[in-house]
């Protein structure tokens, strides 16, 4: 039985696919509105809703439709924010959504699926929103969050006392929307809405399987299964499952999936008799309706055969993995207490007016369609653009090296991830290069430039690696700003030493570590970043630091992934270097290449030539002191083999400082020095 999938897509431009799809959603559902720039869907009645009830929103990468935007409407979500395909929305997008939907009197609940990128971006947005509110003299905002982790297909053996990556958020997330949204629509308090969301999170368990991975528009398949294979535990982003086996009859397969749920540790840990459940059978995108009917029948039979009563059964397309030929099965365990159980069922039965919920009903077509809401606007980012030839060389060198290394980084990610790491990194450096070419960076103010680059990276890259880079760049900008050091190209302003750069990077890592448990040894880009920063801070030697980064990246080939999507991959896969670490090394190599003529903090700052054989020449005292400092102070710190003939190295910059007080002018006044 060959998977009925294709790498062909209805496509105009992959870069506009998400926005175009959201525009189509609003055209088909005129009660919905779209913030086009931030990719946020919200109802036309939002201004009224904010005063009447607790608001709640979620979001995530696109490609899971109808989740999440399809569940925006009365009785479920107040808004949804979409990222790129299979990539978390940026923290700026999430922040914009939070500003828009925040109910000052009632409060707001944010539902987050348990993926590293979502946790980081949504968390950063919440913290930024709290800071905004407090800085404006307001009380700490009423914002609560819940993290959905219903997946029992992968209970990660690599999780440890530090927390690990945990269980993924899958189709059970939709049940969280349903209960929490119904409670909010009925006038529940923030505490009550959060209670029902947390109840659903703690009592919902999901397992999925697929006949093949899904083709990503503009990229194709990351991998394919044989015609007679099925993969159990495959994630909604094409993450490899925990078992690949020969395709078996559907009755045996579905009964096995139900057994996997009830024998899983999270299900066993759930309190109560677990005798009554809600069953959700979810189409992962490309399973025919005919087959879905069969699977639903088999799932109900399997649950009942094991002594449980199915109080409600839902079957349809709720959370997909693009056009993945597969299904997921979710069980929501109901309370043993009849009154509490009736409360849960009443929330489930409450009508929801949104396009994605199978029991949705029509809304008033005469509803107000105007929207002048500007609540999503925040503080305006301000900076003064300035060009700088040295820093532009650095940016170009990084871009060129990433272009050269992108195919290999992509190959590595196809083995142990979703295959987009190289392209995402290239998108980031391309956007930075374009901003530099268009004179949109404040390159004369490095902290401001790094902050601006962070914003560009967030918009261009998305995903977990993007937010990691953003948090690190934010931290680095803070460190440099705190130090009060202006970093330039030797034009008379203070230069930051290589060791100081390393120290700033160590400080930036400490800020990054507030938001991620990833550490060296977890098979992430941290394995290259931390040794680079530590070596540079200790030695001031960029070449030695880069060597340690390369060693750290290479070592990831023999590590078990403990963070990121690769953490869900079981054994038996090819041992390869972590794609994120390899990508970071490509960036650092570009910086090192440019450092031969750029003041970016390596062992080579600028080129100096002092030439004067006229011992009778008198120079002013300022020039004499400057020459003395440059010649003797610098030469004493560097080996003589770095003194080169400028005529054979066209990259050297020549500067002339006449100086007459040297005892041996023929030796100490004529040289070209690369620092």
């Amino acid at each position: 039985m060959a998977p009925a999938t294709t790498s062909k897509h209805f496509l105009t431009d992959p870069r506009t696919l998400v926005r175009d799809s959201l525009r189509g959603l609003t055209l088909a559902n005129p009660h919905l509105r779209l913030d086009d720039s931030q990719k946020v869907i919200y109802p036309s009645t939002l201004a009224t809703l904010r005063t009447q009830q607790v608001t709640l929103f979620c979001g995530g990468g696109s490609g899971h439709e109808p989740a999440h935007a399809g569940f925006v409407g009365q009785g479920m979500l107040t808004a949804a924010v979409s990222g790129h395909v299979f990539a978390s929305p940026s923290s700026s997008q999430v922040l914009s959504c939070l500003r828009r939907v925040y109910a000052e009197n009632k409060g707001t609940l944010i539902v987050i699926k348990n993926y590293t990128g979502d946790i980081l971006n949504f968390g950063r947005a919440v913290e930024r929103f709290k800071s905004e509110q407090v800085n404006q003299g307001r009380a700490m905002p009423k914002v609560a969050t819940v993290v959905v982790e219903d997946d029992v297909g992968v209970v990660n053996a690599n999780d440890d006392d530090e927390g690990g990556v945990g269980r993924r958020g899958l189709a059970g997330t939709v049940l969280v929307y349903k209960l929490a949204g119904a409670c909010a629509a009925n006038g529940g308090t923030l505490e009550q809405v959060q209670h029902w969301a947390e109840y659903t999170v703690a009592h919902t368990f999901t397992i999925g399987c697929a006949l093949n991975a899904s083709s990503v528009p503009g990229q194709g398949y990351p991998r394919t299964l044989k015609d007679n294979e099925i993969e159990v535990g495959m994630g909604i982003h094409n993450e490899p499952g925990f078992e690949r086996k020969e395709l078996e009859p559907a009755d045996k397969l579905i009964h096995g999936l139900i057994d996997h749920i009830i024998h899983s540790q999270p299900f066993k840990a759930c309190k109560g008799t677990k005798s009554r459940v809600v069953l959700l059978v979810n189409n992962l995108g490309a399973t025919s309706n005919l087959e879905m009917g069969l699977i639903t029948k088999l799932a109900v039979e399997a649950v009942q055969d094991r002594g449980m009563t199915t109080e409600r059964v839902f079957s349809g397309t709720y959370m997909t993995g693009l056009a993945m030929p597969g299904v997921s099965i979710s069980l929501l365990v109901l309370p043993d207490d009849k009154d509490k159980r009736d409360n849960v069922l009443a929330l489930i039965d409450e009508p929801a007016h949104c396009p994605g919920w199978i029991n949705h009903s029509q809304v008033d077509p005469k509803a107000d369609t105007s929207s002048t809401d500007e609540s999503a606007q925040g503080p305006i980012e301000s900076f003064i653009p300035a060009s700088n030839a040295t820093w532009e060389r650095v940016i170009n060198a990084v871009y060129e090296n990433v272009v050269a290394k992108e195919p290999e980084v992509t190959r590595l990610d196809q083995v142990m991830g979703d295959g987009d790491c190289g392209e995402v990194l290239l998108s980031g450096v391309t956007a930075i290069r374009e901003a530099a070419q268009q004179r949109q960076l404040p390159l004369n103010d490095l902290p401001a430039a790094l902050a601006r680059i962070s914003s560009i990276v967030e918009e261009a890259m998305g995903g977990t690696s993007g937010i990691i880079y953003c948090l690190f760049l934010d931290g680095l900008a803070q460190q440099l700003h705190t130090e009060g050091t202006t970093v330039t190209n030797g034009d008379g302003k203070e230069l930051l030493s290589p060791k100081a750069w390393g120290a700033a990077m160590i400080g930036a890592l400490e800020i990054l570590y507030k938001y991620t448990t990833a550490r060296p040894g977890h098979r992430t880009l941290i394995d290259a970043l931390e040794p680079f920063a530590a070596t540079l801070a200790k030695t001031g030697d960029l070449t030695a630091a880069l060597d340690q980064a390369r060693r750290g990246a290479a070592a990831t080939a023999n590590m078990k992934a403990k963070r990121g999507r690769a953490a869900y991959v079981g054994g038996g896969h090819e041992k390869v270097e972590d794609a994120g670490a390899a990508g970071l090394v490509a960036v650092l190599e570009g910086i090192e290449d440019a450092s031969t003529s750029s003041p970016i903090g390596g062992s080579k700052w600028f080129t100096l030539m002092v030439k004067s054989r006229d011992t009778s020449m008198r120079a002013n005292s300022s020039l004499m002191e400057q020459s003395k400092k440059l010649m003797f102070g610098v030469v004493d710190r560097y080996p003589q083999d770095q003194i080169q003939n400028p005529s054979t190295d066209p990259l050297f910059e020549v500067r002339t400082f006449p100086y007459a007080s040297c005892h041996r002018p023929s030796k100490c006044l004529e040289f070209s020095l690369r620092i």
Side-chain angles (χ1 to χ4, degrees), residues 61 63-71 76-77 113 170-178 206 236 278-286 289 292 296 312-322 326-330 348 352 354-360:
H64 306 304
E65 291 71 23
H68 306 278
F71 297 110
M76 291 191 80
L77 294 178
K113 300 195 310 303
L170 298 176
T173 308
V174 178
L175 294 175
V176 178
Y177 300 162
K178 187 67 191 69
T206 301
I236 57 175
V278 172
L279 171 66
L280 178 75
V281 181
N282 173 57
N283 187 341
L284 286 172
N289 289 333
M292 283 295 295
T296 302
R312 299 289 187 276
V313 177
F314 296 98
S315 177
T317 303
Y318 298 96
M319 183 175 290
T320 64
L322 289 168
V327 295
S328 67
I329 297 174
S330 302
I348 289 177
C354 55
W357 185 248
I358 195 168
N359 293 324
H360 75 280

Side-chain angles (χ1 to χ4, degrees), residues 254-262 299 302-303 306 308 329 331:
I254 301 305
H255 279 250
L257 294 179
I258 297 297
D259 280 336
H260 185 93
I261 292 177
I262 65 177
V303 170
R306 286 150 183 81
M308 293 180 283
I329 297 174
L331 294 181

Side-chain angles (χ1 to χ4, degrees), residues 1-7 86 208-215 220-241 244-245 247 284-287 321-327:
M1 179 179 176
T5 56
T6 176
S7 59
F86 288 176
C209 64
L211 302 175
N212 204 10
S214 61
S215 173
Y221 290 105
R223 67 186 188 286
T224 57
L225 273 63
K226 296 178 181 178
D227 287 354
N228 65 341
E229 286 184 326
I230 187 169
E231 195 164 280
V232 181
M234 184 183 294
I236 57 175
H237 309 95
N238 285 329
E239 304 99 320
R244 185 180 295 185
K245 62 181 182 180
L247 183 62
L284 286 172
T287 302
L322 289 168
M324 182 179 289
V327 295

Side-chain angles (χ1 to χ4, degrees), residues 138-262:
R138 300 176 182 174
M140 184 64 69
K142 301 175 184 178
V143 177
T145 61
V146 292
V147 177
V148 186
E149 45 182 9
D150 55 310
D151 181 20
V152 296
V154 178
V155 178
N156 198 331
N158 292 323
D159 285 355
D160 48 34
D161 293 339
E162 296 173 351
V165 293
R167 296 153 53 202
R168 300 173 291 201
L170 298 176
T173 308
V174 178
L175 294 175
V176 178
Y177 300 162
K178 187 67 191 69
L179 270 74
C183 181
N186 288 332
T189 65
L190 178 60
E191 291 73 20
Q192 291 170 331
V193 174
Q194 183 177 6
H195 164 75
W196 286 117
E198 291 176 342
Y199 175 88
T200 311
V201 169
H203 293 80
T204 302
F205 310 92
T206 301
I207 178 72
C209 64
L211 302 175
N212 204 10
S214 61
S215 173
V216 179
Q219 298 180 25
Y221 290 105
R223 67 186 188 286
T224 57
L225 273 63
K226 296 178 181 178
D227 287 354
N228 65 341
E229 286 184 326
I230 187 169
E231 195 164 280
V232 181
M234 184 183 294
I236 57 175
H237 309 95
N238 285 329
E239 304 99 320
F242 68 89
E243 181 183 18
R244 185 180 295 185
K245 62 181 182 180
E246 186 174 345
L247 183 62
E248 55 194 4
D251 55 349
K252 182 178 180 181
L253 172 68
I254 301 305
H255 279 250
L257 294 179
I258 297 297
D259 280 336
H260 185 93
I261 292 177
I262 65 177

